[in-house]
Amino acid sequence: MSDVIIFGGTTEGRLLAEFCAEQEIPAAVCVVSDYGKQVLPESPWLTVSHKAMTKEEMVSFIRKEMPKAVLDATHPYAAVVTENISAACQSTGVTYIRITRAETEFAKPVGQAQPEILWMESVADAVEFLSTVDGNAFVTTGSKELERYTSLPDYASRLYVRVLPSSENIAVCEKLGFHGRHIIGMQGPFSRAVNVAMLQDTESRYLVTKEAGNAGGFMEKIEAALECGVTPIVIGRPKKPEGISVEEGIDFLRGIAAQRERKMQLNIIGIGMGGPGQMTQEAVRILRQSDVVLGAERMIESVEEIAPGIRKEPIYLSRDVIKWLESNDGYRMISVVYSGDTGLYSGAKTFLRDLNMTEAGQRWDIRVYPGISTVSFLCARLQTSWEDVYLTSAHGRTPDVLELLKHHDKVFLLLGGEDSVKKLCRKLVENGYPQLTISVGERLSYPEEQIVTGTAEELQDCSFGSLVAVLLRKQKEEDRDE
């Protein structure tokens, strides 16, 4: 889930996303191009989608993210997109905020003339005008309406089109008949000097542009055109939408950030097997940012090397952790670590259930970070898949292994207690499974890691530690130890 959704692809959208990243506000940012994604900051607080969405897809996306608000920072001319975003917010009951772009001093209402600048209502009107005059034209209105210009009889030799440098845009230009130096793929905004150089190099007599405000580099284009004696053809904006400026949008986000600051962050982290290098990069980053780390003593020892100097408490039982949290509310960020993955027979399940039933749970911003599970690690070591493995555990429960083997070719167990492997193997031998392949893993990921593979008959007298992971396979495989 995200606190806000930003529909961007513009300078305003990028500025809002950067603020969210800086203030650690979880935000889903939607753009429609790879380039739009590339200019956004890399941040764990931003989730970026770079595909165009229908109104129905927007509704589903908003319902999935459940944001406090949707900020529409799309291009001023993206009227259809804005209409869809607004309708999607209305359907989901989420606050819609339109981010508007400040108009430049050159901007005039459609229909009013200004010396040396021609104002048009639409691209179609600009094309109609160009059909009545001679001379090259430098077109900067984007690739989406480029097809309209192909109605000019000599468009391929007379027009120079500047578009965003994506392969999709270049392909559109070429498909429409523009080739070679008549296609300029560059990302703006451009300085006055760059615009002057391009206008002179293309020997243009006309510049076709949209009035898109300062962030679109409009003034620099107009000034360059006037300097070169080029006639600007300006397509005036659609009716000005109601909304707020990007600065006001940032003020709105400050309010969300302030609300988040009142909640302390509680991280529930799966640290994998516990050996060096088993933690995800995200887990390492969060642990290093934590004020306190809680967990079983073995887990605490595992994180000491990557997060030295941070207070650590060997507390792991759900009731004890909650009691500690209720009496220690002066910390900004606390992490509770569990072995393996938080979703596979982990104490995280009980902790989350108990925590959400307490007042303490309401005070915390709770986040769960998964880790490498025991089953995925063991199967990787054995070079076998686990998509068809039945998962169970004998920690605190007594699974009917014989019944499970009637229905599954592979069964994974977490075993605990003295002689647990011996007891399992003898039970299998006594009940008709003496040749069942068994792989036993202990101290996985640690230097003293040991994995032994054999039949139930061969392993029934072998000794292992009190905590082991076991994979039962009906078919013997080549990974058996000789």
Side-chain angles (χ1 to χ4, degrees), residues 60 67 103 121 152 224 231 312 320 342 365 382 389 426 446:
S60 297
E103 295 184 9
E121 189 170 351
L152 295 171
T231 300
K312 301 175 181 69
D320 294 336
T342 52
D365 176 17
L382 296 173
V389 173
R426 288 170 183 171
Y446 290 93

Side-chain angles (χ1 to χ4, degrees), residues 370-389:
I372 299 173
S373 66
T374 307
V375 63
S376 63
F377 187 93
L378 178 60
C379 287
R381 284 286 198 258
L382 296 173
Q383 299 180 20
T384 186
S385 67
W386 59 280
E387 59 190 15
D388 53 349
V389 173

